[in-house]
């Protein structure tokens, strides 16, 4: 789409595979996968590769097919067509799910069960022994502050925990068996800021330890900060994918961030409406994110702004934010009515 | 460790740990014990009242017969020696003494009086007058005690040593009563019908209750979304299978406790009742052979698998309690329809209706045991019936596994029958 590709530096020409050298097999490899339901296609000819040891964002509006894609990776539902490989093996191979930790979008635990017993149960389902599970449960309960000298929440029933604490227990259940691949479906929805930060810390730690993390989200800020690579999908189709830096560079450097210190002088709105100069302007109150028109130059924009009496506090050529790219590429039409359960 | 086992163990342990399980498992034997002991104690109350010893004995025999009778009446829990007065007198004093005693009885100070004279010692007649003269149990006791006392005194008069006479007189004859009916001896029709009804109700209740336990378990996992975490680790059929097996094992545990406590209670009921001072009444237990026990167990297990799979399928399809009630109707109807035909089947266990229902997979687990309990059924018939239920169970499990796999992840609107049919074809 974006043909006037300017290549200012080596960083922008690097491809996904050069950031993550083709060591062994990718964590996840999806090829030409389709999933149809009555009345609509949830996933349409999707192919993507999640490099090992990376944090990978699966981005898209509600109902784009994120949850369906994740469920197919986990072999919870079967694709109609296409293949999925996890660590180079077919995803339906016995035992492969033991290496995956999964946090579903809708979270829940057995309410009447003791926290420790729930965690031991879920760990044993991943093939761990009871004794090993107990040891890790202690570690995690202490790490997340669920077990202190005064109170051990591990022996409480799930019911008795606050929502925030239940979310922590859910994280533990996802990570208890030290999985090589962690899949988080909308992990930040419903989290309080403290748990959100705890989760980000955990994700970064997993990455440092060489684990692969996939998470789906429609919050671009989180994705931009955490992900090494992303795939944007809409209406079940891939819109774009690749390393974050590469995705941004592909959108060109036609973006300017402008901050004016003296408000908006009378002549400025007219300049911003000039389609020969400004293709698009995103006014986020304190900052203007401007995409230059194809033939226009940043110099010209700067000169005209100064000419209109604006006091420039900041004028910077920037890469577009993922948020911007997402809006550009997916647009309002990409946001279908959310279909529960088919995410 | 196999994951099916992990799921089964969780299901079993979490259920066994609940207070409800403890209560119902313990309550069964307690209820059974009460059922056994209370009637016996009630019967004891009607045997003889405490009033029986509050009498005066007029002894005109001059041979201490009155003392002996008083001692006899005071034996046991209800007797009280101090309350029985013995008045030794000459025969000519009897008339005024009797009228004095009558006045006391009218005033309520005394229950009755007993007259022992030469006619008594001669083994001919004894007179008793009192408020309880029409109380059968009281009179039985007095009659027995007087008879034994007279016998013992007469033996002593004939020169038998007192020690020996006592042991000769005290005989505890237990009467074993057995009825002979059209079907020959032993086949007490009331006992086998009662037994059949117990089996019928137990099976019906068990299939209903444990089936619903499976349903609620499946719904809980769906509503709390635990199912999604679990099926990301194991195949859905293992989650379903573990649940069905776990709940079934809970049921069998409960039955094992109930049945073994019932057997123990029946074996030791004599001793237990004696301790409580009540006499054991005759109580005919049905003849249950090991083979019949195994057949009953097989019918319960296969019937349970059949119904609980269907219950599980419903649990996976629906998202709320109300929807579940609606979707359950066909299954409840199957279960109830096999139950409601028990009167005609009991009265005519060889009818066409009885045969048909004992071969259909949904009704056989209830109807066949009912028939087995009342009449001898040919081995091949039992086998055909069992095979039919087993085949039905297999199909039910197959259907449930498919509905389960898709339904567990479907939230919102309840699927139409057409959609469910597609799940069966495609998944």
């Amino acid at each position: 789409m974006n043909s006037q590709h300017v290549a200012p530096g080596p960083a922008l020409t690097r491809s996904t595979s050069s950031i993550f050298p083709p060591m062994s097999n990718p964590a996840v490899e999806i090829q030409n996968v389709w999933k149809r339901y009555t009345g609509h296609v949830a996933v349409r000819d999707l192919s993507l590769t999640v490099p090992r040891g990376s944090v990978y964002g699966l981005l898209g509006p509600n109902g784009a097919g994120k949850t369906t894609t994740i469920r197919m990776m986990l072999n919870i539902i079967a694709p109609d067509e296409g293949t999925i490989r996890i660590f180079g093996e077919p995803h339906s191979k016995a035992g492969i799910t033991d290496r995956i930790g999964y946090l579903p979008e809708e979270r829940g635990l057995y309410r009447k069960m003791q926290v420790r017993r729930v965690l031991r149960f879920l760990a044993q389902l991943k093939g761990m022994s009871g004794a090993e599970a107990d040891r890790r449960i202690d570690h995690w309960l202490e790490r997340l502050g669920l077990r202190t000298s005064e109170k051990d929440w591990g022996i409480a029933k799930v019911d008795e925990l606050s929502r925030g604490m239940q979310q922590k227990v859910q994280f533990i259940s996802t990570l208890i068996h030290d999985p090589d691949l962690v899949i988080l479906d909308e992990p930040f929805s419903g989290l309080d800021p403290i748990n959100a930060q705890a989760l980000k810390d955990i994700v970064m730690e997993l990455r440092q330890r060489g684990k692969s993390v996939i998470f789906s989200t429609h919050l671009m800020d989180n994705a931009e900060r955490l992900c090494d690579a992303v795939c944007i999908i809409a209406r079940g189709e891939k819109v774009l994918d690749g390393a974050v830096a590469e995705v941004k560079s592909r959108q060109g450097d036609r973006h300017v961030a402008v901050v004016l210190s003296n408000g908006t002088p009378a002549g400025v709105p007219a300049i911003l409406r000039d389609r020969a100069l400004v293709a698009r302007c995103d006014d986020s109150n304190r900052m203007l994110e401007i995409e230059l028109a194809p033939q226009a130059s940043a110099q010209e924009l700067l000169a005209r702004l100064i000419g209109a009496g604006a006091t420039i506090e900041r004028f910077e050529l920037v890469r577009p934010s993922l948020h911007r790219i997402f809006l550009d590429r997916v647009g309002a039409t990409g946001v279908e009515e959310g279909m529960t359960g088919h995410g | 460790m196999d994951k099916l086992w992990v799921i089964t163990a969780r299901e079993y342990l979490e259920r066994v740990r609940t207070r409800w399980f403890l209560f119902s498992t313990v309550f069964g034997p307690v209820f059974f014990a009460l059922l056994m002991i209370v009637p016996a104690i009630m019967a004891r109350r009607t045997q003889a009242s405490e009033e029986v010893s509050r009498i005066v004995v007029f002894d005109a025999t001059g041979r201490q017969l009155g003392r002996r009778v008083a001692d006899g009446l005071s034996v046991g829990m209800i007797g009280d020696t101090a309350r029985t007065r013995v008045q030794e007198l000459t025969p000519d004093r009897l008339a005024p003494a009797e009228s004095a005693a009558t006045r006391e009885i009218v005033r309520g100070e005394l229950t009755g009086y007993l007259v022992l004279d030469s006619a008594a010692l001669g083994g001919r007649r004894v007179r008793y007058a009192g408020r309880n003269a029409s109380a059968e149990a009281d009179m039985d006791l007095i009659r027995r005690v007087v008879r034994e006392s007279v016998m013992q005194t007469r033996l002593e008069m004939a020169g038998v040593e007192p020690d020996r006479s006592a042991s000769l007189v005290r005989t505890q004859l237990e009467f074993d009563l057995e009825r002979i009916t059209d079907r020959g001896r032993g086949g007490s029709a009331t006992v086998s019908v009662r037994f059949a009804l117990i089996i019928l109700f137990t099976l019906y209740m068990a299939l209903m209750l444990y089936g619903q336990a499976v349903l609620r378990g499946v719904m809980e996992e769906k509503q709390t979304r635990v199912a999604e975490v679990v099926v990301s680790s194991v195949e859905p059929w293992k989650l379903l299978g573990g649940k069905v097996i776990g709940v079934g094992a809970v049921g069998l545990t409960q039955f094992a406790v109930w049945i073994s406590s019932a057997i123990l209670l029946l074996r030791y009921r004599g001793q237990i009742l004696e301790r409580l001072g009540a006499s054991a009444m005759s109580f005919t237990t049905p003849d249950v052979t090991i083979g019949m026990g195994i057949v009953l167990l097989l019918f319960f297990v296969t019937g349970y698998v059949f119904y609980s799979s269907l219950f599980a399928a419903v649990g996976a399809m629906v998202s709320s309690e109300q929807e579940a009630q609606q979707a359950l109707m066909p299954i409840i109807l199957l279960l109830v329809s096999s139950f409601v035909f028990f009167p005609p089947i009991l009265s005519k266990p060889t009818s066409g209706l009885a045969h048909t229902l004992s071969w259909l997979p949904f009704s056989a687990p209830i109807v066949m045991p009912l028939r087995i309990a009342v009449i001898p059924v040919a081995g091949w018939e039992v086998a055909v019936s069992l095979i039919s239920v087993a085949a039905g169970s297999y199909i039910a499990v197959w259907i449930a596994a498919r509905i389960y796999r898709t339904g567990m992840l479907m939230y919102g609107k309840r699927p139409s029958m057409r959609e469910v049919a597609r799940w069966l074809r495609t998944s």
Side-chain angles (χ1 to χ4, degrees), chain A residues 37-38 67 71 74-78 97-98 102 104 106-114 117 121-122 124-127 170 341-342, chain B residues 1 3 6-7 10-11 14 17 217 220-221 223-234 236 239 243 405 409-411 419 422:
Chain A
Y37 288 107
T38 348
T67 298
R71 283 180 177 170
L74 289 157
N75 197 25
I76 294 176
I77 50 181
T97 53
D98 287 0
Y102 174 45
E106 300 272 2
R107 283 148 228 160
L109 298 162
Y110 293 101
R111 294 196 193 108
K112 300 278 174 218
M113 230 172 137
Q114 206 188 68
R117 293 197 181 120
F121 168 67
L122 293 173
Q124 285 176 337
L125 284 186
K126 292 294 190 182
Q170 200 100 38
H342 303 313
Chain B
M1 196 166 18
K3 291 174 181 179
V6 173
I7 290 170
R10 189 206 79 86
E11 202 64 49
E14 284 303 313
R17 279 195 195 107
E220 189 208 344
E221 276 168 359
Q223 276 166 8
T224 61
R225 320 284 163 127
V226 181
E228 189 162 349
V229 180
V230 176
V231 297
S232 75
S233 306
V234 301
L239 177 57
K243 181 168 293 294
R405 194 185 156 98
L409 300 171
M410 290 284 179
Y411 307 111
E419 270 175 278
R422 212 188 51 252

Side-chain angles (χ1 to χ4, degrees), chain B residues 28-313:
Chain B
V30 169
F31 181 72
F32 192 75
L34 288 179
L35 213 63
M36 192 183 79
I37 289 165
V38 168
I41 288 179
M42 299 292 276
R44 190 198 68 191
R45 290 250 176 267
T46 58
Q47 263 171 3
S49 65
E50 292 175 31
E51 297 300 292
V52 81
S53 59
R54 211 158 66 91
I55 61 170
V56 59
V57 180
F58 297 123
D59 183 1
T61 60
R63 283 199 165 269
Q64 297 285 306
L65 182 60
R67 189 70 261 156
R68 190 161 262 160
V69 169
D71 288 348
L73 286 179
S74 65
V75 170
M77 282 173 72
I78 49 172
D80 181 357
T81 338
R83 297 215 290 186
T84 311
R85 248 159 53 209
V86 181
Q87 220 174 315
E88 296 193 11
L89 34 68
T90 52
D92 56 310
R93 305 280 305 178
L94 271 176
E98 279 183 55
S99 49
T102 308
R103 280 195 298 278
E104 273 186 81
I105 292 165
V106 171
R107 285 201 301 272
E109 293 160 8
L110 209 59
T111 304
Y113 67 86
L114 182 68
V115 178
L116 303 170
D117 53 14
S118 52
L121 207 54
R124 287 193 304 278
R125 65 185 307 175
V126 172
R127 265 185 303 128
Y128 178 82
R131 285 183 177 276
N132 57 350
S134 58
E136 202 58 47
D138 285 9
M139 291 310 102
D140 276 348
L141 179 67
I142 290 176
R143 215 175 275 141
R144 184 173 61 81
V145 168
V146 170
R147 206 171 268 146
E148 283 177 6
S149 305
V150 166
M151 192 99 71
Q152 195 178 353
T153 308
R154 278 158 65 100
L155 281 171
E156 278 161 24
M157 281 161 72
V160 179
E161 288 293 307
D163 290 355
R164 265 183 66 69
S165 69
S167 66
L168 281 172
V169 167
R170 302 255 182 278
T171 55
Q172 276 286 358
L173 266 186
E174 275 286 344
F175 263 67
D176 277 340
L177 302 171
E178 195 173 13
R179 215 164 68 168
I180 293 184
T181 64
D182 298 350
R183 294 200 197 121
R185 24 184 319 121
S188 163
T190 53
V191 169
S192 62
V193 165
R194 208 179 296 150
F195 177 55
L197 285 176
I198 289 173
I199 288 181
L200 173 77
F201 278 101
T202 313
L203 279 172
Y204 174 73
M205 293 298 288
L207 292 179
M208 190 72 101
L209 291 178
Y210 295 120
Q212 297 218 9
V214 170
L215 168 85
R216 273 194 302 275
V218 170
M219 284 180 66
E220 189 208 344
E221 276 168 359
K222 182 171 174 177
Q223 276 166 8
T224 61
R225 320 284 163 127
V226 181
E228 189 162 349
V229 180
V230 176
V231 297
S232 75
S233 306
V234 301
E235 297 94 316
W237 71 264
K238 284 189 180 170
L239 177 57
L240 175 65
K243 181 168 293 294
V244 167
I245 297 171
V247 174
V250 172
L252 289 179
T253 307
Q254 215 154 29
F255 279 130
V257 172
W258 288 344
I259 290 170
S260 51
S261 66
I263 289 171
L264 284 179
L265 276 171
L266 283 178
R267 170 170 292 178
Y268 295 110
R269 59 190 278 277
Q271 281 98 311
I272 295 168
L273 288 176
E274 207 171 295
R275 280 279 169 89
L276 293 168
S279 63
M281 290 175 302
S282 78
F283 185 95
T284 324
T285 47
D287 285 330
V288 184
T289 58
I290 300 281
M292 189 167 168
I294 291 173
V295 168
L296 286 179
L297 183 72
L298 283 176
F299 272 109
F300 170 69
V301 169
T302 47
Y304 164 76
V305 170
F306 179 82
Y307 277 104
S308 63
S309 317
L310 294 180
F311 274 106

Side-chain angles (χ1 to χ4, degrees), chain A residues 125-139:
Chain A
L125 284 186
K126 292 294 190 182
M128 282 183 85
S129 73
E132 176 68 2
D134 282 340
R135 208 177 54 71
R136 300 239 183 119
I137 290 167
D138 283 337
H139 164 79

